[in-house]
Amino acid sequence: MSLDQQQVEELKGYYPDLKLVEDGGVEFIFISPFPLPAGCTPSSVDALLCPSKRDGYPSRLFVSAKVVHKGPGQNWNPQTAVIIAGRQWWAVSWKTAENQTLLGMVLAHLEAFK
């Protein structure tokens, strides 16, 4: 899968330091810093967006730490970290709509923490 460069540029408007990362033939988008909604601890993490289907989800947003928050995404799946691109990552169990733009995916995943 090759990411739509227009969508990557749109996402860079919000996260100018994002980087494209490949692991196991899958393209990811690394975002750092990745600010989280108010009330989250920590308030910022590194994030790794998997814009393709994975683990039964249309897309996944992995974060560098388990986030304490009061949003609806309280179920961490997997319970232990996964290793992607040589780092440990966690993700909440949060399904988003299919066929979203990259920015739409990120915004939809953030709803889990609000």
Side-chain angles (χ1 to χ4, degrees), residues 1 3 19-30 48-54 62 82-89:
M1 169 181 154
L3 297 177
K19 294 177 177 62
L20 301 180
V21 176
E22 188 174 319
D23 184 76
V26 178
E27 286 184 286
F28 295 87
I29 298 172
F30 175 75
L48 193 66
L49 176 67
C50 179
S52 55
K53 290 182 181 185
R54 181 184 172 114
F62 295 95
V82 296
I83 305 295
I84 302 170
R87 285 188 62 183
Q88 292 186 333
W89 299 97

Side-chain angles (χ1 to χ4, degrees), residues 57 60 62 65-66 73-82 88-93:
Y57 296 86
R60 297 298 308 255
F62 295 95
K66 283 190 174 181
Q74 294 293 320
N75 183 26
W76 291 90
N77 183 12
Q79 292 296 317
T80 58
V82 296
Q88 292 186 333
W89 299 97
W90 289 264
V92 294
S93 179

